[in-house]
Amino acid sequence: MAKPRIFISSTFYDLRQIRIELDKFIESMGYDPVRNEEGDIPYGKDDELQMYCYKEIDNIDILISVIGGRYGSPSVIEEKEKEYSVSQRELKTAYKQNKQIFIFIEKNVYTEYETYVM
């Protein structure tokens, strides 16, 4: 039986340590983590690099989205004149494909949201 493949989606620089720790945890559970910085996504020369991330979501079982305080890079795809980040587009792609999704929000970001809602 194949190992479940788990795609880790987040902004890169600010959440780098979280991505590393998630990778270790996923491997310790016997699953196969998918992170672009580890060479887990095959890239080509025909499309923008982020397009290969979106295509790789076809081949995963679970997507983990970690939301921090940064927007990240804008996606090259425009959808009805709305601009999304690469991380947002990865999440939307997994959602449209009915993949299992887990979303984690950095504590400081969640606290700011709670303050805003009040």
Side-chain angles (χ1 to χ4, degrees):
M1 184 173 189
K3 294 182 192 179
R5 298 186 76 231
I6 303 176
F7 190 103
I8 302 172
S9 174
S10 73
T11 52
F12 177 73
Y13 292 108
D14 59 327
L15 299 173
R16 185 173 185 195
Q17 191 58 42
I18 291 172
R19 294 171 65 82
I20 291 169
E21 294 301 320
L22 270 172
D23 187 278
K24 290 177 188 176
F25 175 74
I26 291 166
E27 282 186 339
S28 76
M29 297 297 292
Y31 301 149
D32 192 13
V34 177
R35 291 191 302 149
N36 69 348
E37 66 267 29
E38 291 296 312
D40 299 324
I41 299 171
Y43 292 104
K45 60 181 178 161
D46 298 329
D47 289 319
E48 297 280 341
L49 293 179
Q50 62 191 273
M51 295 303 295
Y52 293 97
C53 291
Y54 309 144
K55 290 176 185 177
E56 188 62 22
I57 293 173
D58 290 341
N59 304 317
I60 63 156
D61 301 293
I62 299 169
L63 181 128
I64 295 177
S65 177
V66 182
I67 299 172
R70 298 189 58 139
Y71 176 78
S73 302
S75 178
V76 295
I77 302 173
E78 295 279 333
E79 183 178 289
K80 297 181 183 173
E81 299 180 22
K82 292 181 182 177
E83 188 174 311
Y84 294 100
S85 71
V86 172
S87 298
Q88 288 172 311
R89 180 77 55 200
E90 289 168 346
L91 183 57
K92 287 175 70 64
T93 301
Y95 181 78
K96 286 178 183 175
Q97 293 182 18
N98 204 29
K99 300 290 182 172
Q100 187 171 11
I101 298 170
F102 294 92
I103 300 173
F104 297 92
I105 302 172
E106 191 175 40
K107 185 177 182 177
N108 293 338
V109 173
Y110 187 73
T111 302
E112 287 179 26
Y113 170 74
E114 288 294 317
T115 303
Y116 175 76
V117 170
M118 293 178 164

